């Protein structure tokens, strides 16, 4: 499976590092263009490359890792997703628009899904602080729990396999609406950093 990132900050680079270590190819992108990512992909190694957002979004599984206010712009103008998996790692902080109150009954990932026609959206990584994403998820005491949510069972199964392969202990939190509420900031799974004892 090939992977892409929309966004190339701390979270995107941490996920990309796990993926390339596991032998996968990753195309990273940002809003400033591929030339600004040469140092990043050099550090990540030969399995990492820099591309446009459209090139990154053509991957089989794509990680959306931008600041919440940039979600709309980051997804605007991309081709139809045609069933590819979009992993939403974002958090909608109350200080950022649109706020949870602005969304009404929608969760942040449902908002993302509306802006990515044809994508099978999985919510993941947003409950962990960046340093826990970047660190080796395998510890002597167990593996870092990684909660995820989504409405498409096959997409969730694919994500579960990927997360397990790169060392996390994936846990299905349910559908985008119900699981998303559990995982969003203020929910009971947010910032819950725990290990599964295998």
């Amino acid at each position: 499976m090939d992977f892409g990132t929309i966004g190339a900050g701390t979270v995107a680079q941490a996920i990309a590092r796990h993926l390339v270590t596991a032998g996968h190819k990753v195309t990273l992108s940002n809003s400033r263009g591929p030339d600004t990512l040469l140092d990043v992909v050099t550090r990540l190694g030969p399995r990492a490359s820099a591309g446009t957002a459209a090139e990154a979004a053509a991957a089989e599984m794509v990680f959306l890792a931008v600041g919440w206010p940039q979600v709309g712009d980051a997804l605007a103008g991309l081709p139809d997703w045609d069933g590819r998996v979009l992993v939403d790692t974002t958090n909608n902080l109350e200080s950022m628009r649109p706020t949870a109150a602005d969304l009404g009954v929608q969760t942040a990932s449902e908002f993302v899904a509306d802006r990515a026609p044809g994508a099978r959206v999985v919510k993941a990584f947003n409950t962990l602080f960046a340093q826990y994403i970047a660190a080796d998820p395998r510890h002597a005491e167990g593996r870092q729990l990684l909660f995820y949510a989504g409405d498409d069972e096959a997409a969730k199964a694919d994500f579960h396999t990927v997360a397990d392969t790169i060392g996390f202990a994936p846990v299905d939190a349910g559908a985008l609406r119900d699981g998303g509420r559990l995982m969003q900031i203020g929910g009971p799974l947010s910032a819950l950093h725990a290990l599964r004892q295998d």
Side-chain angles (χ1 to χ4, degrees), residues 3-188:
F3 298 90
T5 73
I6 298 175
T10 304
V11 170
Q13 290 182 41
I15 295 169
R17 187 173 297 108
H18 291 308
L19 291 168
V20 299
T21 299
H24 299 288
K25 292 183 178 179
V26 183
T27 302
L28 292 92
S29 72
N30 65 12
S31 61
R32 294 173 293 138
D35 290 345
T36 65
L37 295 173
L38 296 181
D39 288 346
V40 171
V41 297
T42 298
R43 285 196 304 273
L44 288 171
R47 293 189 183 97
S49 62
T52 65
E55 289 168 339
E60 296 168 83
M61 184 176 290
V62 182
F63 294 85
L64 177 64
V66 297
W68 177 247
Q70 286 75 51
V71 165
D73 289 342
L75 294 174
L78 294 176
D80 187 283
W81 286 78
D82 195 28
R84 294 187 308 285
V85 178
L86 177 62
V87 181
D88 173 22
T89 75
T90 65
N91 271 314
N92 60 326
L93 303 174
E94 279 301 317
S95 60
M96 300 176 178
R97 292 286 180 181
T99 66
D102 295 330
L103 298 179
V105 296
Q106 265 194 330
T107 61
S109 284
E110 290 175 307
F111 176 87
V112 168
D114 284 348
R115 281 146 187 82
R120 295 182 296 151
V121 175
V122 174
K123 184 76 169 181
F125 288 106
N126 68 303
T127 64
L128 298 176
F129 293 158
Q131 65 263 35
Y132 295 104
I133 299 172
D136 188 341
R138 302 170 188 89
H139 303 269
E141 300 83 3
R143 292 185 296 152
Q144 174 68 58
L145 284 180
L146 179 61
F147 299 104
Y148 64 94
D151 295 337
D152 186 288
E153 293 301 322
K156 288 201 293 184
D158 287 346
F159 177 80
H160 184 106
T161 298
V162 169
D164 184 68
T165 299
I166 64 176
F168 289 89
V171 177
D172 188 344
L176 276 185
R177 179 158 294 184
D178 297 333
R181 291 201 190 289
L182 294 173
M183 294 166 63
Q184 68 188 12
I185 291 176

